[in-house]
Structure formats: structure tokens, C-alpha cells
Amino acid sequence: DIQMTQSPSSLSASVGDRVTITCRASQTVGRSVNWYQHQPGKAPKLLIYAASNLQTGVPSRFSGFGSGTDFTLTITSLQLEDFATYYCQQSSSAHQFTFGQGTKVEIK
Amino acid sequence: QVQLVQSGSELKKPGASVKISCKASGYTFGTYPLTWVRQAPGQGLEWMGWINTNTGNPTFAQDFTGRFVLSLDTSVSTAYLQINSLKAEDTAVYYCARDRGLTAAGAPRFYRFYVMDVWGQGTTVTVSS
């Protein structure tokens, strides 16, 4: 099974900061990596798909990069509503998914 | 609008069964598979499995075989997750999500990148004696 390892597991940042989260796959997954935002008490929300494609309606301060085994999610100019837990997810086999363990972004 | 609406919270005793529903609206039910995700207290998201909404054929992740059942009632555009022989460690929030294949720039037109693009609101299952 493909494992997804995120780092860091948590971080503290201030409004306006630039934040980068990394995700490494245990084997190559091409560009089949998605990123989700999960706020407490809400359903997860798709932010980025296919490594770098912004889902409709997601602010442009979110961006993704990577291919193969190494991927990043960057949030430029962090906003209050961005404090949440972020998950990478691989989907290299149709309908089979694996999540990373999550990165909690907290207010400094 | 496209939405998935799940059934309400459940409190069950160990050894009992629970059946959670996920009702789809705003799109043709059989067009996309439905997938299920678990979040145990203090833990991350875990993919549990998916069901083909045309054939009803389920597929489970390795950790979710045996006690877990996925089913459909296509007449009411609803998918179900049933968990049998409940254990305390089944206490979690369970989400259903639509599994959709998207195209992306730079990839062949026939290639699909699979995502969970619409989610239910989650159903909390608590297992306690």
C-alpha cells in the first residue's frame, strides 16, 4: 500500500504568513495528489487536485506543486479562516485513496 | 445544488450494529461512486472504501473488511454504511463523499484524477456501554 507522510504535523503561524506543508509518497504516484482543508465540526473541503490544480471557488492564495513522490501545499498570506488541519491524499489507483496524517495550522 | 446529507448521530452499545445513510441530491446518483471516510477522536482521516453506485459492488480498504457493509437504495439515491459487532474503537465521525474523476491541464484528455469533491456533513457514532 502507498503511504503518505506529511510534515510538519503541526505549525504555528500568524495572519499574513506564508506557510508550506510537504507530503511524501512511499512510491511514485505521478500527479495524483489532492489536498483538503478540514475545520472542526465541518466536512473536509477539496482545495487542490492533480498536485497543482485549484478546485473551483478556492482562493488563489492556495497552491500546490510536485510530482512523483514529493508534493507541497503553500498558503501565501495566511488568513484567519485558513487555520485548520490540512491533508494530502493520493489517488493513483482509481477510487483507492490514502490520506496523509494531517498538518494542523494554528494561530501563533 | 449538489449535496450529500447524512443521518444523525448514533449512540450504540458494544456488539450492536449501526446503519448510517447518505442521501445524494442535485446530480444523477449513478454517475459517480460514493466513498466513506472515518475520523476517530483526535485522529486523522482514513479512507474506508467505496461503492459503485451502478452495480452496488463495494470495495474496502484493508483495515475495514469483515464487519463493514456498504449498500445502496438507488430508488432514493441513498448509500448506506453498516457496521456490525460494534467496538469502542469504532467511535468516530463517518463521512460519505462523492468520488469524481477530473481532467487536468497537461494530462491526456482521457486521464482522470480522482477526488472527493462533495462531502456529507458527517455522522458521529459513539460506542459505549
Side-chain angles (χ1 to χ4, degrees):
Chain A
D1 288 3
I2 299 174
Q3 308 300 319
M4 304 296 284
T5 304
Q6 281 182 241
S7 61
S9 55
S10 66
L11 64 91
S12 296
S14 301
V15 171
D17 283 354
R18 178 187 179 96
V19 166
T20 297
I21 300 167
T22 65
C23 184
R24 174 163 288 176
S26 60
Q27 62 192 73
T28 184
V29 294
R31 292 169 52 197
S32 296
V33 166
N34 311 313
W35 291 92
Y36 297 83
Q37 178 191 65
H38 192 197
Q39 295 175 323
K42 295 187 176 182
K45 176 184 174 183
L46 175 67
L47 299 175
I48 301 283
Y49 67 95
S52 60
N53 291 260
L54 200 64
Q55 173 68 342
T56 304
V58 173
S60 59
R61 63 181 180 272
F62 292 93
S63 64
F65 183 79
S67 67
T69 59
D70 294 307
F71 301 86
T72 58
L73 172 71
T74 297
I75 312 169
T76 57
S77 191
L78 199 66
Q79 301 299 301
L80 264 178
E81 60 267 31
D82 301 336
F83 291 95
T85 300
Y86 293 85
Y87 294 90
C88 64
Q89 178 199 59
Q90 72 83 20
S91 59
S92 60
S93 297
H95 315 301
Q96 313 262 339
F97 300 94
T98 310
F99 288 97
Q101 78 274 25
T103 296
K104 187 173 184 180
V105 177
E106 298 174 299
I107 302 174
K108 185 182 285 184
Chain B
Q1 77 278 25
V2 175
Q3 58 179 352
L4 299 174
V5 178
Q6 297 183 224
S7 49
S9 299
E10 300 270 8
L11 173 60
K12 296 290 185 180
K13 294 190 185 305
S17 295
V18 68
K19 191 171 186 178
I20 301 164
S21 67
C22 171
K23 182 174 176 59
S25 61
Y27 71 99
T28 301
F29 185 65
T31 304
Y32 307 105
L34 282 172
T35 194
W36 291 85
V37 173
R38 181 175 82 176
Q39 185 176 37
Q43 303 300 308
L45 302 175
E46 285 182 277
W47 175 70
M48 299 176 67
W50 68 282
I51 187 163
N52 184 316
T53 51
N54 279 308
T55 66
N57 185 50
T59 300
F60 294 96
Q62 231 172 351
D63 290 344
F64 295 96
T65 58
R67 298 186 297 115
F68 299 86
V69 179
L70 297 179
S71 61
L72 304 172
D73 183 344
T74 56
S75 69
V76 289
S77 300
T78 300
Y80 301 93
L81 166 65
Q82 180 169 322
I83 310 172
N84 299 318
S85 303
L86 282 163
K87 307 175 181 181
E89 50 263 43
D90 294 321
T91 295
V93 179
Y94 293 85
Y95 294 97
C96 62
R98 190 174 74 168
D99 173 351
R100 185 175 176 191
L102 302 178
T103 57
R109 275 186 297 171
F110 62 86
Y111 194 84
R112 294 293 181 267
F113 294 91
Y114 292 93
V115 301
M116 300 176 187
D117 71 331
V118 179
W119 291 68
Q121 81 276 20
T123 296
T124 299
V125 174
T126 303
V127 183
S128 174
S129 53

